[in-house]
């Protein structure tokens, strides 16, 4: 019976049951057998056969046509309003005569600390209109006079106080986030550093703050022009009066480029950070010459490689020019300290990056936990068909969900294709009365800037976007991210949900899963080489397993995928699975009826405490979204056993880590 053939079963599970239907798959299986001159009995469900059969189905379903979204994987170039990015802080040139002394051209000395931070910020800080001047938090008061017994007594203590002060005074941050201080200290000591920090973890500060307090210019390699421009704009507009920053790209006019090179040629350049694309550093000889001369004067502080995973062919975003950076460094600036930062790198990618960039073998490694405790992760079944009044059920559920978030909660909806993003945004606007706009790489730069700006200021509540709305989108208060279509891979999913809750406050990430979407994704993946297709299919399979999983914590599964052990085991109430498992456990308890409590909240004897969890539709039901705000957070490790299970009877029964185990096994393969 062909329908029972394991190959057919696999394909049906991949969404073809819903798109083509079982009969068509079975019929096509027969065609495929004929074309391959084999029989069902002789055919095994090997990877090669699955891929081959899938390709024949994709050809059947989509023919030679393709969805209009391949371009959305390309970088999106956005030009800001015409403005020279060269700093206007002519009056802020430091009078550091010593730095002019020539250098032998040997390895750069470790960048020295700029002893006079205020030399770069002589002007009165600009403050936002109406905003009261910020008070320095008690912990970051500047160093006191030496006579003061509380003043820093050692150089290290003074450095630390300076870092805290600069963090508050220049960047307006009351404290450092995990690992930022450690990274900054290593960078200041002139060490090569590799930093793996999650999206929104605060990587930029790790090089921006050292750049501010170091002598000379820090060169930052960044993959996207739009990302560079955002960073430059943000630094120039800091309320402290701005950090002198500039950038160089092929999109600038000749005059602007000459201005940047002239700035670098100044005896002591005003700018503290220079952003460049990898292409510029690899191909622009004038730039390399200017930086070499800067280095000879002891004013090239360090080289920063942002999104460093692009260096490695093993990474998911390889860029040939990134790979050349190591050669350029060795040829033109040997010994200049390198700081490589990324939010996504397996051990293999990391080792490759360190090797290709020629970083010291004993370079300092930093890894910040990828656990984002403020994100509530949920996978819900994407509704199909229409509602009672004939409206598309999936879009209607989306409208209702967004309305429940409130008028001011801003969010992102990720859609698969440009068409989808336009159609969904139009539905949210016209049928839901919501302030929604689409965004994709097919729009003109000015259209994209317009949407971004209106979203940033709140005029647009929701952006319905393809993955083009990605790197460099830095809005702190994104309260929800909805995946209207499943992502192609867990890396992408993690980065996309990472756009939510960058301010640290709670945010929801809901993925609407429908197996029927998988064939469309496969069709996109199919357009590369055969090996790329196979890798893409395996990644999609992992994504699908993540969605299908109901017994393991979603945070734990993600962390396991990224090679991190989630020692807590379960997140408490930060994902749909853990909420449901906690609720099931509570329901199993004989005293559950009369105890008044919430999921996951238990007293030390295993009894529940507090208010009862709201009763509602099942967390995974079509169109039924659990609002995280209605759930009480409880990730308090004190309430858990050593193995992370909830204290109380039956707690370990659901501790299935099949998904995590599967991933570990896969990674070993
Ligand atoms: N110590 C801090 N205190 C408060 N806010 C901070 C701190 N460090 C960084 N931030 C803020 O966190 C947000 C994210 O920082 P940043 O853009 O550096 O993240 P990232 O790690 O580069 O993320 P991505 O990978 O998405 O680029 C920014 O709005 C930044 O101002």
């Amino acid at each position: 019976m062909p329908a029972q053939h394991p190959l057919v079963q696999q394909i049906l599970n991949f969404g073809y049951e819903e798109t083509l239907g079982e009969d068509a798959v079975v019929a096509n299986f027969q065609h495929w057998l004929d074309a391959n001159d084999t029989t069902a009995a002789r055919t095994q469900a090997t990877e090669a056969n699955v891929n081959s059969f899938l390709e024949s189905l994709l050809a059947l379903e989509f023919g030679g046509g393709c969805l209009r979204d391949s371009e959305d994987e390309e970088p999106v170039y956005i030009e800001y309003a015409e403005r020279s990015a060269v700093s206007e802080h002519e009056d802020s040139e430091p009078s550091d005569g010593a730095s002019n002394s020539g250098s032998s051209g040997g390895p750069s000395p470790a960048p020295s600390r700029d002893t006079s931070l205020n030399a770069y910020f002589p002007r009165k800080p600009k403050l936002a209109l109406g905003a009261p001047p910020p008070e320095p938090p008690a912990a970051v008061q500047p160093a006191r006079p030496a006579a003061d017994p509380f003043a820093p007594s050692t150089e290290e203590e003074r450095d630390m106080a300076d870092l805290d002060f600069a963090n508050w005074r220049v960047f307006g941050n009351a404290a450092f986030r995990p690992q930022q201080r450690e990274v900054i200290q290593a960078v200041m000591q002139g060490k090569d550093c590799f930093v793996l920090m999650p999206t929104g973890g605060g990587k930029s500060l790790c090089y921006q703050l050292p750049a501010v307090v170091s002598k000379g210019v820090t060169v930052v390699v960044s993959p996207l022009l739009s990302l560079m421009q955002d960073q430059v704009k943000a630094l120039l507009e800091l309320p402290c009066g701005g950090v002198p920053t500039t950038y160089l790209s092929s999109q600038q006019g000749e005059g602007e480029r000459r201005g940047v090179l002239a700035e670098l040629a100044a005896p002591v350049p005003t700018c503290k950070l220079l952003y460049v694309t990898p292409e510029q550093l690899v191909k622009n000889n004038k730039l390399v010459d200017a930086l070499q001369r800067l280095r000879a004067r002891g004013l090239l502080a360090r080289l920063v490689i942002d999104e460093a995973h692009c260096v490695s062919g093993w990474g998911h975003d390889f860029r040939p020019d990134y790979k050349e950076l190591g050669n350029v460094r060795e040829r033109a600036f040997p010994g200049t300290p390198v700081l490589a930062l990324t939010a996504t790198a397996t051990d293999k990618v990391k080792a490759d990056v360190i090797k290709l960039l020629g970083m010291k073998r004993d370079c300092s490694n930093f890894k910040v936990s990828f656990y984002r405790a403020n994100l509530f992760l949920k996978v819900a079944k994407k509704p199909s068909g229409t509602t009672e009044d004939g409206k598309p059920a999936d879009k209607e559920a989306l409208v209702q969900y967004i309305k429940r978030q409130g008028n001011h909660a801003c969010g992102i909806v990720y859609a698969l294709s440009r068409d989808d993003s336009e159609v969904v945004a139009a539905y949210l606007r016209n049928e839901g009365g919501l302030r929604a706009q689409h965004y994709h790489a097919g729009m003109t730069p000015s259209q994209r800037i317009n949407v971004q700006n209106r979203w940033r200021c709140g005029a647009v509540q929701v952006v319905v976007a393809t993955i083009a709305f990605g790197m460099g989108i830095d809005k702190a208060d994104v309260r929800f991210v909805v995946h209207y279509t499943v992502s192609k891979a867990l890396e992408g999913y993690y980065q996309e949900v990472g756009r939510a809750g960058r301010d640290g406050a709670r945010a929801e990430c809901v993925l609407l899963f429908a197996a029927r979407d998988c064939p469309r994704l496969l069709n996109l993946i199919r357009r590369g080489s055969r090996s790329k297709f196979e890798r893409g299919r395996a990644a999609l399979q992992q994504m699908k397993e993540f969605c299908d999983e109901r017994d393991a914590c979603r945070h734990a599964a993600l962390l396991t995928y990224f090679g991190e052990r989630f020692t807590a085991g379960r997140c408490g109430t930060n994902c749909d699975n853990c909420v449901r498992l906690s609720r099931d456990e509570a329901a199993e308890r004989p005293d559950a009826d009369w105890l008044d409590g919430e999921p996951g909240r238990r007293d030390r004897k295993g009894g529940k405490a507090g208010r009862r969890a709201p009763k509602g539709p099942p967390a995974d039901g079509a169109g039924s979204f659990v609002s995280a705000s209605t759930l009480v957070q409880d990730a308090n490790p004190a309430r858990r056993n050593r193995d992370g299970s909830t204290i109380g009877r039956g707690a370990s029964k659901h501790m299935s880590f099949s998904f995590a185990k599967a991933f570990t096994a896969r990674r070993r393969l």
Side-chain angles (χ1 to χ4, degrees):
M1 180 68 181
Q4 298 306 323
H5 194 284
L7 189 52
V8 173
Q9 280 303 336
Q10 281 209 31
I11 300 296
L12 288 174
N13 288 343
F14 231 103
Y16 278 94
E17 182 143 25
E18 291 181 58
T19 53
L20 286 182
E22 187 173 330
D23 290 348
V25 173
V26 171
N28 209 58
F29 180 55
Q30 198 52 56
H31 287 309
W32 181 83
L33 290 172
D34 294 344
N36 285 283
D37 199 17
T38 187
T39 62
R42 272 198 290 146
T43 300
Q44 293 179 349
T46 59
E47 286 282 296
N49 282 342
V50 171
N51 284 331
S52 165
F53 185 23
L54 266 178
E55 287 206 66
S56 75
L57 279 175
L58 288 164
L60 174 85
E61 197 181 10
F62 297 100
C66 57
L67 299 168
R68 281 195 303 127
D69 26 10
S70 61
E71 305 93 296
D72 281 354
E73 295 198 50
E74 297 300 319
V76 178
Y77 295 109
I78 294 180
E79 295 288 352
Y80 274 98
E82 288 270 33
R83 164 176 62 72
S84 167
V86 178
S87 164
E88 55 193 16
H89 297 246
E90 304 86 3
D91 54 347
S92 62
E93 194 170 290
S95 54
D96 187 354
S99 60
N100 281 327
S101 58
S103 154
S104 63
S108 303
S112 56
R113 194 162 60 86
D114 188 337
T115 46
S116 126
L117 177 65
N118 286 334
Y120 296 111
F121 307 100
R123 299 183 330 174
K124 224 169 163 225
K126 275 188 239 159
L127 291 175
L129 273 182
E135 281 300 321
V140 295
Q141 290 287 352
R144 297 161 204 230
D148 186 337
F150 296 102
S153 51
T154 62
E155 188 68 17
E156 289 75 21
E157 222 181 296
R158 202 180 314 277
D159 282 353
M160 299 240 298
D162 281 358
L163 292 184
D164 283 327
F165 178 63
N167 194 24
W168 166 76
R169 173 73 172 75
V170 181
F171 297 93
N173 298 326
F176 286 107
R177 284 188 179 164
Q179 297 274 338
Q180 280 181 327
R181 180 196 293 280
E182 290 79 358
V183 175
I184 289 168
Q185 279 170 336
V187 168
M188 293 298 296
Q189 286 162 14
K191 292 182 178 166
D192 283 357
C193 300
F194 187 94
V195 177
L196 189 53
M197 201 180 260
T199 308
K203 288 184 283 299
S204 314
L205 191 79
C206 295
Y207 60 82
Q208 289 173 348
L209 196 153
V212 168
V213 297
S214 296
K215 191 174 77 178
V217 180
T218 293
V219 177
V220 184
V221 179
S222 177
L224 299 187
L225 179 59
S226 59
L227 192 60
M228 279 173 15
Q229 290 169 320
D230 274 355
Q231 297 263 15
V232 172
K233 188 167 182 278
L235 284 163
L236 290 174
E237 290 175 358
L238 279 169
C240 67
V243 173
T245 306
T246 188
Y247 74 98
L248 198 68
S249 96
S250 56
Q251 310 282 309
Q252 285 165 307
E254 187 53 35
E256 214 176 325
R257 284 213 300 272
R258 261 206 305 271
V260 175
L261 294 176
E263 164 77 7
L264 296 178
V268 181
T270 308
C271 80
K272 301 305 299 171
L273 290 117
L274 168 70
Y275 283 81
V276 295
T277 53
E279 293 77 14
Q280 286 292 312
L281 205 56
V282 169
K283 294 178 185 145
N284 185 340
N285 291 334
K286 283 185 188 161
L287 171 66
V288 173
D289 286 350
L291 294 179
Q292 273 183 310
R293 283 197 289 274
L294 204 61
R295 173 175 172 272
R297 303 200 305 277
L299 291 175
L300 181 58
R302 63 190 62 85
L303 209 54
V304 176
I305 316 293
D306 201 9
E307 311 289 351
H309 59 276
C310 298
V311 170
S312 169
W314 299 109
H316 66 100
D317 211 1
F318 172 62
R319 300 282 199 89
D321 281 322
Y322 255 86
K323 195 174 173 185
E324 283 305 305
L325 291 174
N327 291 335
V328 175
R329 181 212 184 193
E330 190 174 330
R331 200 183 63 238
F333 334 106
T336 301
V338 173
L339 166 63
L341 306 117
T342 176
T344 152
T346 57
D347 288 346
K348 197 171 176 179
V349 170
K350 182 176 133 186
D352 207 26
V353 170
I354 289 175
K355 189 171 135 226
L356 289 170
L357 288 179
M359 294 167 73
K360 293 193 189 92
R361 280 223 202 106
D362 62 343
C363 76
S364 302
N365 281 292
F366 297 91
K367 184 169 179 179
V368 179
S369 173
F370 275 50
Y371 179 43
R372 296 278 308 274
N374 63 322
L375 299 188
F376 178 80
L377 303 182
K378 174 178 170 61
V379 178
K381 191 171 167 217
K382 188 173 180 176
S384 57
T386 52
T387 58
E388 277 175 4
D389 44 358
K391 295 180 173 171
D394 51 357
K395 296 186 186 67
E396 201 44 37
L398 187 58
V399 167
Q400 297 313 322
Y401 171 74
I402 296 171
K403 284 189 171 169
R404 281 204 298 276
Q405 305 312 302
N407 200 18
H408 296 294
C410 96
I412 307 172
V413 174
Y414 279 107
L416 175 61
S417 67
R418 296 178 186 179
D419 285 343
D420 281 4
S421 70
E422 291 183 15
V423 169
V424 174
Y427 190 91
L428 297 183
R429 262 193 325 270
N430 302 334
E431 303 294 323
L434 294 162
R435 289 171 286 124
Q437 281 292 332
H438 63 267
Y439 182 106
H440 56 66
M443 295 159 67
T444 63
S446 63
Q447 285 172 331
R448 289 196 300 265
I449 289 172
N450 191 278
V451 174
Q452 269 197 43
N453 288 345
R454 293 182 61 217
W455 181 66
R456 278 213 182 95
C457 71
V460 165
Q461 183 190 4
V462 188
V463 174
V464 185
T466 62
I467 53 172
F469 197 65
M471 263 190 227
I473 301 298
D474 180 16
K475 182 163 165 56
D477 60 347
V478 176
R479 294 276 70 86
F480 61 91
V481 167
V482 174
H483 279 83
Y484 183 71
T485 312
V486 61
S487 303
K488 278 187 263 180
L490 281 162
E491 278 95 347
Y493 170 72
Y494 182 82
Q495 295 234 344
E496 284 140 23
V497 296
R499 310 272 158 233
R502 290 159 77 97
D503 54 4
R506 195 146 173 94
E508 278 191 1
C509 308
V510 184
L511 187 157
L512 292 178
F513 181 74
R516 64 179 181 274
D517 287 334
C518 290
R520 292 181 72 202
L521 285 154
L522 280 171
N523 186 48
L524 286 178
I525 296 162
R526 185 174 62 130
R527 276 178 253 149
S529 62
R530 172 131 208 136
S531 61
K532 208 172 157 200
F533 174 67
E534 279 165 25
R535 277 206 305 272
R537 193 183 74 78
L540 182 58
Q541 177 67 35
Q542 287 174 333
M543 190 71 228
K544 188 171 174 294
E545 284 172 25
F546 174 83
C547 294
D548 288 341
E549 179 62 55
R550 288 175 55 82
D551 292 329
C553 168
R554 296 206 187 277
H555 284 281
L558 270 180
L559 295 180
T560 306
Y561 178 76
F562 287 108
E564 184 178 330
R565 228 178 109 238
F566 188 37
T567 44
R570 268 172 38 187
C571 64
T573 53
N574 288 338
C575 78
D576 53 350
N577 283 350
C578 285
V579 168
R580 195 188 52 256
L581 294 176
S582 301
R583 196 172 51 189
D584 290 353
E585 285 158 15
E588 275 173 23
R589 290 172 46 77
D591 51 0
D593 281 347
W594 58 271
L595 268 174
D596 192 19
E598 285 141 348
R601 281 200 74 190
R602 288 156 199 282
D603 62 28
R604 288 192 173 279
K605 290 179 186 156
K608 294 195 291 180
R611 195 167 49 82
R612 183 185 295 279
K615 279 193 180 145
D620 55 342
S624 64
F625 297 90
V626 168
S627 165
S629 54
T630 62
L631 301 168
V632 171
Q633 292 184 54
D634 185 15
N636 181 357
R639 293 178 199 269
R640 304 190 168 274
N641 292 323
R642 268 171 189 277
D643 64 358
S645 57
T646 317
I647 292 168
R649 268 173 290 160
S652 60
K653 185 173 166 192
H654 299 285
M655 294 297 287
S656 158
F657 288 98
S658 56
F659 180 81
K661 276 188 209 140
F663 270 172
T664 315
R666 212 179 282 275
R667 289 168 62 82
R668 269 194 225 107
L669 285 176

